[in-house]
Amino acid sequence: MAVIGATASSGAKTRWALIDIVVVIYALVPVLWIVSLSFKTKETLTDGNFIPRSWTLQNYRDIFNTSEFLRALLNSIGIALIATVIAVVLGTMAAYAIARLDFPGKQLLVGASLLIAMFPQVSLVTPLFEMERTLGLFDTWPGLILPYITFALPLAIYTLSAFFREIPWELEKAAKMDGATPAQAFRRVIAPLAAPGVFTTAILVFIFCWNDFLFAISLTSTTSSRTVPAALSFFTGSSQFEDPTGTISAAAVVITIPIILFVLFFQRRIVAGLTSGAVKG
Amino acid sequence: MSQTAERTADTPVSPPAKKAVSEGKKAERKLGLWLCAPAALVMIAVTGYPIIYSIWLSLQRYDLRFPDQQKFVGLENYVTVLSNSYWWTAFGVTAMITVISVAIELVLGMGLALVMHRTLVMRGLVRTVALIPYGIVTVVAAFSWRYAWTQDTGYLAQLFAPDSALLTQRVPALAIIILAEVWKTVPFMALLLMAGLALVPDDLLKAASMDGASAWQRFTKVMVPVMKPAILVALLFRTLDAFRIFDNIFVLTSGAQETGSVSMQTYNNLIKGLNLGIGSTMSVLIFIAVAVIAFIFIKVFGTSAPGSDDGRKR
């Protein structure tokens, strides 16, 4: 019996290993293809080969020598970071209140955030375009940061309130008994305990802001606030008649690097954040 | 535990009990409101107000190229849009992409969820690589698919159709758009389903297999019923998300050969046409369509919205 069990399990292991390899290929092939394109020389770009026949860094040199890409990269980083910080701070405050405090309008806020999470962003593009033109926010950093915060907030509130429900709240009571006000209990006791959840949320929010294309392309008109995803679609080669495939691929690889790093280092946190926020919520 | 505490605390909202609210309770309410106020204000300012403004704009003739001709025209814009065949083509394309891609994602997502949940080897590796499609910038992935399917240069084009430009033909182009959408979102679907999978008690599966249930029976009779709430939430999220498809179409076909979605139409109307009246009308119509989808899911299928108390009772 034991022997049968052992062989079955090693057979099962091989079977799982094969299935795992299918998943790995599924996830990686499109990424490797764009990486491969970015390293190909102009002559071999069209050979359709998965592994470049001759390697070059020229595409990377090209994009880092254009102010267009550097400016877009700066915009992407700046806008995503600022939006993430603000969304996480506001989300933390709201999620704490939702998870811990009893106040009127709580269900309304939860319902409203859910509504926004499902909101068709394109419905906002036309009115925001007109409002931002009137307010002078069109084609500026705040003009993108504001919608990013708005659409990141539901994600932040759900993920964070799920994390906050797991925190041992007796500690807060103990702090209050020692004379701390609710605000002090929040700042001194709960905030440090909540830090891992806040960090996870920050990663998810950053990925969301980093990914956006619709707002980035609709609410900007020049390089002054255009982010990389939007700038990519305006890329041309160094001359008008040159095929931009290589440079677009190189730029695409550059903005994929942070995502790959997040995934490699924080896989557990991201999985925990996405699953807890969305379903147990 | 904390839920029951919250529930009992929620009940005394009736007027007579209100007088008895202690100082501490008052302070708690005040703090709660203050903590939520900034988030609520931002969300109202950036979504609530614009959608109302958008309804107002949709009742105007308002073209930025002819700003002097702005005037109130009632429902004229709605008649214009709803009697326009391009709008209905885009609507049909969006609906078709949504239904087909979500259906494929549900099947593949369930498979991936089972793999991530149950695999005996390389679990960390599988979970890590599965997150790459989820995290990658949609535009980047779309460019990868575009180059892969471009005649002469792409490995997929050479493999499947070396002699024809698939992205310039309607049906193949739509299939490629769906492929790109499915590739990107299967992991997200799988993660949502995996959370539901974790709720299936192992004992129940063991008992079922003792009673002679096959793997398929265990899946349909034990796992799916337990996972039903998670499946519905995942379907709701993905359906609404697929309905706003924009990035993939923009990069892959720019909406040529009638492959544009309603989001593409609205964008083109705004940026190329600068017609705010018509653009806003489309915005309102898309909003209504999404609201109807959400309503059907919540009322007809009984999807419990995540975060609501009903959803948490499990």
Side-chain angles (χ1 to χ4, degrees):
Chain A
M1 199 59 200
V3 177
I4 294 167
T7 49
S9 103
S10 87
K13 269 187 185 157
T14 328
R15 219 167 39 237
W16 278 118
L18 287 174
I19 297 173
D20 292 347
I21 289 166
V22 172
V23 174
V24 171
I25 292 172
Y26 168 90
L28 288 185
V29 161
V31 184
L32 292 179
W33 172 243
I34 201 110
V35 172
S36 151
L37 282 178
S38 76
F39 285 113
K40 283 183 178 176
T41 57
K42 295 224 153 45
E43 294 70 37
T44 56
L45 200 58
T46 57
D47 66 3
N49 227 30
F50 227 92
I51 299 160
R53 288 207 178 92
S54 55
W55 295 71
T56 177
L57 286 173
Q58 191 54 44
N59 293 320
Y60 290 91
R61 256 179 247 128
D62 283 350
I63 54 166
F64 280 104
N65 280 332
T66 58
S67 59
E68 197 189 347
F69 177 73
L70 286 178
R71 179 69 213 203
L73 193 60
L74 178 74
N75 291 336
S76 261
I77 295 172
I79 290 172
L81 279 181
I82 296 173
T84 302
V85 169
I86 300 177
V88 169
V89 169
L90 298 187
T92 304
M93 288 159 57
Y96 173 82
I98 287 170
R100 282 308 295 159
L101 304 175
D102 178 33
F103 61 95
K106 183 154 100 174
Q107 282 313 312
L108 190 71
L109 183 76
V110 173
S113 339
L114 187 71
L115 208 68
I116 290 172
M118 299 171 177
F119 203 86
Q121 280 129 337
V122 75
S123 282
L124 289 182
V125 163
T126 310
L128 278 182
F129 176 84
E130 176 64 359
M131 283 163 65
E132 293 201 347
R133 267 177 1 107
T134 318
L135 297 169
L137 287 174
F138 181 73
D139 201 22
T140 63
W141 278 26
L144 280 182
I145 291 172
L146 270 172
Y148 288 178
I149 295 173
T150 308
F151 281 96
L153 268 174
L155 178 70
I157 291 174
Y158 277 114
T159 317
L160 282 165
S161 48
F163 275 111
F164 286 175
R165 291 203 184 93
E166 310 278 304
I167 287 175
W169 295 102
E170 307 81 56
L171 291 177
E172 189 198 28
K173 257 184 212 143
K176 277 187 189 159
M177 289 229 268
D178 290 346
T181 64
Q184 279 172 327
F186 169 67
R187 213 171 55 237
R188 300 264 172 81
V189 181
I190 296 311
L193 280 174
V198 173
F199 183 69
T200 304
T201 308
I203 294 176
L204 295 180
V205 168
F206 184 88
I207 291 178
F208 167 80
C209 300
W210 191 250
N211 261 330
D212 172 76
F213 179 62
L214 179 60
F215 288 123
I217 201 165
S218 309
L219 301 178
T220 64
S221 58
T222 64
T223 49
S224 68
S225 64
R226 202 175 269 154
T227 58
V228 180
L232 277 185
S233 59
F234 291 97
F235 258 28
T236 49
S238 28
S239 82
Q240 207 189 326
F241 305 102
E242 209 171 289
D243 178 30
T245 304
T247 41
I248 287 182
S249 303
V253 170
V254 171
I255 60 165
T256 306
I257 291 169
I259 302 294
I260 302 281
L261 292 179
F262 283 147
V263 166
L264 282 182
F265 290 110
F266 308 116
Q267 176 259 119
R268 263 164 221 281
R269 286 178 184 284
I270 297 174
V271 171
L274 284 172
T275 49
S276 68
V279 178
K280 285 181 220 137
Chain B
M1 271 315 275
S2 76
Q3 254 111 76
T4 37
E6 263 173 42
R7 290 203 154 256
T8 43
D10 273 341
T11 15
V13 184
S14 47
K18 241 181 190 167
K19 276 181 197 145
V21 170
S22 66
E23 279 303 307
K25 262 278 174 261
K26 255 190 213 159
E28 186 182 326
R29 282 188 179 179
K30 216 170 147 193
L31 179 67
L33 287 174
W34 274 112
L35 285 174
C36 288
L41 281 180
V42 174
M43 291 196 283
I44 291 169
V46 185
T47 57
Y49 178 73
I51 200 71
I52 290 166
Y53 183 57
S54 171
I55 295 173
W56 168 243
L57 279 178
S58 74
L59 301 174
Q60 315 266 330
R61 176 189 300 151
Y62 189 14
D63 189 324
L64 281 183
R65 288 167 302 177
F66 313 104
D68 336 329
Q69 293 177 14
Q70 182 178 3
K71 82 170 215 229
F72 187 85
V73 292
L75 294 175
E76 200 179 281
N77 286 330
Y78 288 88
V79 175
T80 310
V81 174
L82 291 175
S83 59
N84 183 315
S85 69
Y86 287 109
W87 165 262
W88 287 110
T89 308
F91 193 87
V93 166
T94 313
M96 191 203 70
I97 293 176
T98 304
V99 171
I100 298 181
S101 61
V102 173
I104 301 174
E105 281 159 26
L106 180 64
V107 176
L108 293 183
M110 185 65 91
L112 182 57
L114 284 167
V115 173
M116 291 197 292
H117 189 67
R118 304 185 74 90
T119 182
L120 300 170
V121 282
M122 306 195 287
R123 184 175 295 180
L125 177 76
V126 167
R127 289 186 177 191
T128 304
V129 295
L131 282 178
I132 289 175
Y134 160 78
I136 201 169
V137 177
T138 314
V139 173
V140 167
F143 269 113
S144 174
W145 289 115
R146 185 171 119 184
Y147 294 143
W149 286 105
T150 301
Q151 208 180 356
D152 299 336
T153 64
Y155 63 103
L156 290 172
Q158 291 184 354
L159 210 60
F160 292 104
D163 301 320
S164 54
L166 291 181
L167 280 169
T168 62
Q169 300 164 30
R170 188 164 188 238
V171 175
L174 285 172
I176 294 170
I177 290 169
I178 291 174
L179 167 75
E181 183 78 0
V182 166
W183 177 78
K184 164 101 179 119
T185 48
V186 159
F188 180 68
M189 181 72 110
L191 284 170
L192 296 189
L193 294 176
M194 201 170 78
L197 214 50
L199 301 175
V200 181
D202 273 344
D203 303 351
L204 210 57
L205 289 174
K206 272 196 197 122
S209 100
M210 293 276 213
D211 292 345
S214 68
W216 178 249
Q217 281 172 326
R218 269 175 286 161
F219 177 71
T220 53
K221 298 269 161 63
V222 181
M223 286 157 89
V224 169
V226 177
M227 291 175 68
K228 198 182 157 224
I231 295 174
L232 284 172
V233 168
L235 282 179
L236 172 64
F237 267 129
R238 273 301 309 148
T239 304
L240 296 182
D241 197 35
F243 197 80
R244 37 188 194 198
I245 181 169
F246 178 79
D247 306 14
N248 274 324
I249 298 180
F250 190 99
V251 173
L252 284 167
T253 67
S254 317
Q257 281 81 41
E258 302 190 330
T259 54
S261 63
V262 283
S263 295
M264 280 295 296
Q265 281 256 316
T266 312
Y267 169 83
N268 283 336
N269 214 291
L270 175 71
I271 300 301
K272 294 196 184 132
L274 293 175
N275 193 327
L276 293 183
I278 296 287
S280 301
T281 307
M282 291 178 174
S283 297
V284 173
L285 288 172
I286 295 172
F287 181 66
I288 294 172
V290 164
V292 168
I293 298 174
F295 182 83
I296 292 174
F297 264 97
I298 290 168
K299 291 291 170 204
V300 181
F301 296 126
T303 311
S304 53
S308 70
D309 274 339
D310 292 350
R312 260 190 275 140
K313 266 192 289 187
R314 275 178 277 127

